[in-house]
Amino acid sequence: MLNQILPLYGILPVKSNIQLFGDGLINHTWKVTTENAGYILQKVNQAVFKKPQDIDQNISRLKAFLNRKHPEYLFISPITDTTGKSLIETSEGYFRLFPFVEDSHSLNVLSKKEEAYEAARQFGRFSMLLNEFDVDQLYITLPDFHNLTLRYAQFKNAVLHASPERKKRSKELISFIEDNYSIVKTFDQITANHEIPLRVIHHDTKINNVLFDRYDKGICVIDLDTVMPGYFISDVGDMMRTYLSAANEEETDFSKINIRTDFFKAIYDGYMQEMGSVLTETEKGYFIYSGKFLIYMQAIRFLADYLENDVYYGSKYEGHNFMRAENQITLLKRYQEAEPLLRSLIS
Ligand code: ADP
Ligand code: GN1
Ligand code: MG
């Protein structure tokens, strides 16, 4: 199939090197290298994104706005084929081609607090530059993606229908999630509070969705499939989830999961550098809550997937999603312990 797609862009497959690329969990990604240039070819995961055309439309509207208002901003969008299409429909699904950002790399864990600052600043900059963009112009590419109330209900449903073995193994994790239901209640207060606006939110600020240069400076954000109207807690929360700990969601030795408070301060400084003058005082009051919100939601999503036999995230070994859920619950416990200290750092 790739051999049929590349010629649509004037690329000769025989003269290209095509390699699977990156550690994304959702789409299929290849790096295509030709004599003259590098590209990222992607097959959109249609089990997750039912309407890839909506993503394409969103990206094109954001691009038009940014080109008009902030032409200096590096916005990575799909290249058009020889007929002008930025999304290719085939019998095997939807494909798109991006320019490869040369001399860039992504990280799966952060080793320096400066990287956390850079990444947080890139995501903050993205929302800040789009502050004037009318959020109603964006399609909802994943309905209820970060709706914690619904995620909790889906999780309860997954518990109800799980196999007896998976349910038994998950007993303690299920109890922990139920005992921390107050995190859902706070989310309900946020959605009911009109002082907390819907903004242009990336919704997947995990660390491998930002590109760095060879000096570890942030270049730009990528993976724009989930850019939708949302709350800032989604973006800041996923930064806390993926930048604070020295070990990431794949770590099976939970003693390595920690909260690096200096990285927390770097996230705060980087994000606020861009969004400090945009966020309302009410929003700022939820900065620390955002970490609990997102880590808890990710634990729920991994555990629900384990209980539903790994239909969403897949599983590379027996119990993979169970382990990821336990990992995230450990992270949440460490975060809750660190909360008073985090509060003192930004008060
Ligand atoms: P997924 O939705 O599966 O996470 P991504 O769009 O994040 O897919 O792409 C997967 C990985 O490919 C990224 O983490 C990054 O390492 C790399 N990548 C994606 N787009 C580009 C690009 N334009 N230039 C360089 N690398 C990229
Ligand atoms: C997925 O696509 P990727 O790998 O950047 C997921 C995120 C999860 C993350 C967990 C559309 O992100 O919501 O937080 O995995 N994206 C989707 O690693 O479900
Ligand atoms: Mg990604």
Side-chain angles (χ1 to χ4, degrees):
M1 178 50 69
L2 302 187
N3 287 346
Q4 280 147 283
I5 291 170
L6 292 173
L8 301 173
Y9 294 91
I11 297 173
L12 288 177
V14 284
K15 293 208 168 170
S16 313
N17 181 294
I18 306 170
Q19 304 278 346
L20 269 174
F21 196 74
D23 292 300
L25 296 189
I26 301 298
N27 296 313
H28 268 89
T29 305
W30 296 267
K31 182 174 181 190
V32 178
T33 315
T34 70
E35 272 167 4
N36 312 315
Y39 303 92
I40 286 285
L41 178 64
Q42 240 174 15
K43 178 174 183 220
V44 181
N45 181 337
Q46 252 189 296
V48 174
F49 298 104
K50 309 286 179 220
K51 289 192 195 159
Q53 305 90 330
D54 288 357
I55 297 175
D56 196 52
Q57 276 291 320
N58 281 355
I59 295 182
S60 125
R61 287 177 187 175
L62 295 170
K63 183 182 170 187
F65 177 90
L66 288 167
N67 279 351
R68 211 172 56 244
K69 300 270 186 179
H70 306 284
E72 75 293 346
Y73 181 68
L74 180 62
F75 183 71
I76 304 301
S77 59
I79 299 169
T80 49
D81 73 358
T82 48
T83 66
K85 283 196 228 123
S86 48
L87 182 70
I88 311 284
E89 186 181 355
T90 75
S91 56
E92 288 180 24
Y94 287 84
F95 291 79
R96 59 206 174 171
L97 190 74
F98 298 90
F100 187 88
V101 177
E102 289 308 328
D103 266 338
S104 74
H105 64 275
S106 59
L107 303 166
N108 283 326
V109 281
L110 297 179
S111 49
K112 292 184 286 193
K113 65 178 190 305
E114 289 76 16
E115 294 162 344
Y117 176 89
E118 288 292 319
R121 190 163 178 189
Q122 284 297 330
F123 285 111
R125 183 163 174 72
F126 179 74
S127 286
M128 186 274 287
L129 294 177
L130 290 162
N131 193 35
E132 304 285 307
F133 184 93
D134 175 9
V135 291
D136 293 333
Q137 295 298 308
L138 291 175
Y139 287 106
I140 309 290
T141 56
L142 275 180
D144 292 308
F145 186 42
H146 281 191
N147 180 344
L148 183 58
T149 317
L150 186 85
R151 293 280 181 195
Y152 189 84
Q154 287 170 336
F155 156 76
K156 293 290 271 188
N157 196 45
V159 174
L160 213 59
H161 295 102
S163 72
E165 306 82 69
R166 290 199 178 210
K167 191 148 85 183
K168 186 159 170 247
R169 184 173 179 191
S170 308
K171 199 165 170 273
E172 274 179 35
L173 302 191
I174 294 170
S175 298
F176 179 86
I177 287 171
E178 289 173 349
D179 290 348
N180 281 272
Y181 183 70
S182 63
I183 298 176
V184 184
K185 283 200 203 142
T186 305
F187 176 74
D188 290 335
Q189 285 161 13
I190 291 178
T191 55
N193 187 340
H194 299 297
E195 282 169 68
I196 304 196
L198 287 170
R199 304 185 177 281
V200 178
I201 294 298
H202 185 284
H203 283 110
D204 196 359
T205 60
K206 81 180 196 191
I207 192 58
N208 62 19
N209 287 329
V210 54
L211 296 181
F212 289 89
D213 71 12
R214 68 174 77 171
Y215 308 106
D216 294 331
K217 290 276 172 212
I219 306 176
C220 60
V221 305
I222 53 166
D223 203 349
L224 305 174
D225 302 334
T226 51
V227 175
M228 290 181 277
Y231 301 111
F232 93 101
I233 54 168
S234 286
D235 280 2
V236 170
D238 219 16
M239 293 177 204
M240 309 276 205
R241 187 180 80 78
T242 65
Y243 310 174
L244 293 182
S245 173
N248 75 4
E249 67 195 18
E250 298 297 342
E251 181 61 62
T252 51
D253 177 354
F254 301 144
S255 69
K256 292 190 180 147
I257 298 173
N258 60 351
I259 299 295
R260 297 175 290 187
T261 49
D262 49 342
F263 282 59
F264 169 83
K265 184 66 170 46
I267 295 175
Y268 182 82
D269 290 343
Y271 192 77
M272 285 305 187
Q273 176 77 31
E274 302 290 345
M275 285 294 280
S277 58
V278 171
L279 294 183
T280 64
E281 287 310 308
T282 313
E283 283 175 298
K284 287 177 189 167
Y286 287 100
F287 196 90
I288 289 179
Y289 168 75
S290 68
K292 282 192 288 194
F293 161 70
L294 216 299
I295 300 168
Y296 180 77
M297 184 160 65
Q298 193 60 56
I300 285 185
R301 290 178 65 194
F302 282 141
L303 191 57
D305 200 35
Y306 174 70
L307 294 167
E308 287 168 344
N309 302 323
D310 316 305
V311 286
Y312 190 86
Y313 285 113
S315 161
K316 291 194 174 138
Y317 57 86
E318 204 285 310
H320 194 167
N321 283 310
F322 175 84
M323 184 287 302
R324 286 165 165 159
E326 196 174 2
N327 168 308
Q328 296 292 284
I329 285 178
T330 308
L331 178 65
L332 181 55
K333 287 179 182 163
R334 298 290 92 80
Y335 189 87
Q336 286 171 325
E337 287 156 14
E339 217 179 310
L341 188 55
L342 303 183
R343 224 164 265 293
S344 73
L345 285 174
I346 61 171
S347 63

